[in-house]
Amino acid sequence: KKLLLKGKKLKYCSDCGSSKIKFVTPEGDHVKRYICSECENIFYTNPNMVVGALCVRGEKILMAKRNIHPRKGMWTLPAGFMENAETLQQGALRETFEETGSHAKVIQPYTLFSLPHINQVHMFFLADLLDENFGPTSESQLVELHGEDEILWDELAFPTVEKTLRHYFSDKQKGEYIFREENITLW
């Protein structure tokens, strides 16, 4: 199985511009990687980190109906890929603002999911929604506060969102919010 960068074969070296790229196991390594034959730069591909927030306001959760692919038209918690030079919390709060237009304050790390089959790690924080200035953005068709009985469970975009919500409502009944780490091997 060839290792791909963003779903495409690497064709040019980003350091020297050479098209002499080989796909081999570097000496002392155990995984095939793209290596430039000219400058010998090794291109490592690593899992993408997805960060998000389960934002609580009173008895309700902030939910967004996706306006982008994948899973356009499905409901989710605000989340997305981390950017370089930001912390996990900064990424979760940035994604919350980008997808809902609202501000939140992180309370604690809440769920962490390893998804090796798609080379991703998803982390959600439990957060307080600081305002009700939420609304649609370029990334969200609709943004609403939902109680447990208002969540459209069959219309959730991702299993990690469903698991995070189910943990939250279970923890809410117990009055104790515990951190969870899980592996998900298939959707």
Side-chain angles (χ1 to χ4, degrees):
K1 177 178 168 182
K2 270 204 168 183
L3 184 62
L4 302 178
L5 295 176
K6 296 185 180 178
K8 297 180 183 172
K9 180 181 173 191
L10 184 65
K11 295 180 182 178
Y12 298 96
C13 175
S14 59
D15 283 0
C16 73
S18 172
S19 63
K20 296 179 181 175
I21 304 295
K22 56 188 174 182
F23 189 67
V24 296
T25 303
E27 186 176 329
D29 206 335
H30 63 283
V31 175
K32 284 188 171 187
R33 305 185 190 282
Y34 287 106
I35 300 175
C36 176
S37 296
E38 294 291 321
C39 71
E40 299 181 2
N41 188 32
I42 300 172
F43 295 90
Y44 295 92
T45 56
N46 303 100
N48 289 310
M49 186 74 187
V50 173
V51 291
L54 188 156
C55 300
V56 180
R57 183 79 166 180
E59 296 293 311
K60 298 196 174 199
I61 303 297
L62 186 67
M63 303 282 300
K65 190 171 191 178
R66 293 178 59 80
N67 196 36
I68 56 176
H69 293 289
R71 310 280 194 193
K72 185 175 180 177
M74 304 291 279
W75 287 93
T76 190
L77 296 171
F81 293 111
M82 272 185 76
E83 297 290 350
N84 291 329
E86 72 182 359
T87 67
L88 293 164
Q89 289 186 10
Q90 288 169 338
L93 296 176
R94 175 187 50 76
E95 286 291 340
T96 297
F97 183 75
E98 286 178 3
E99 294 186 8
T100 70
S102 194
H103 297 280
K105 179 182 177 186
V106 168
I107 299 169
Q108 69 179 58
Y110 194 55
T111 56
L112 178 68
F113 302 97
S114 295
L115 297 100
H117 61 286
I118 57 171
N119 303 319
Q120 292 181 3
V121 176
H122 293 198
M123 173 137 196
F124 289 93
F125 289 91
L126 191 56
D128 282 326
L129 184 61
L130 297 178
D131 57 51
E132 293 190 13
N133 295 326
F134 56 82
T137 69
S138 61
E139 296 183 23
S140 302
Q141 298 173 14
L142 190 59
V143 178
E144 298 176 340
L145 290 172
H146 287 183
E148 183 175 8
D149 60 336
E150 299 169 305
I151 292 176
L152 301 172
W153 295 98
D154 292 337
E155 295 181 28
L156 294 178
F158 307 105
T160 55
V161 170
E162 179 179 351
K163 285 180 175 278
T164 297
L165 287 167
R166 291 201 186 276
H167 288 314
Y168 174 77
F169 291 117
S170 174
D171 288 351
K172 185 177 173 189
Q173 287 181 344
K174 298 173 194 166
E176 181 182 10
Y177 301 91
I178 60 172
F179 176 76
R180 291 176 177 84
E181 186 270 331
E182 299 178 34
N183 298 322
I184 298 176
T185 54
L186 291 176
W187 291 103

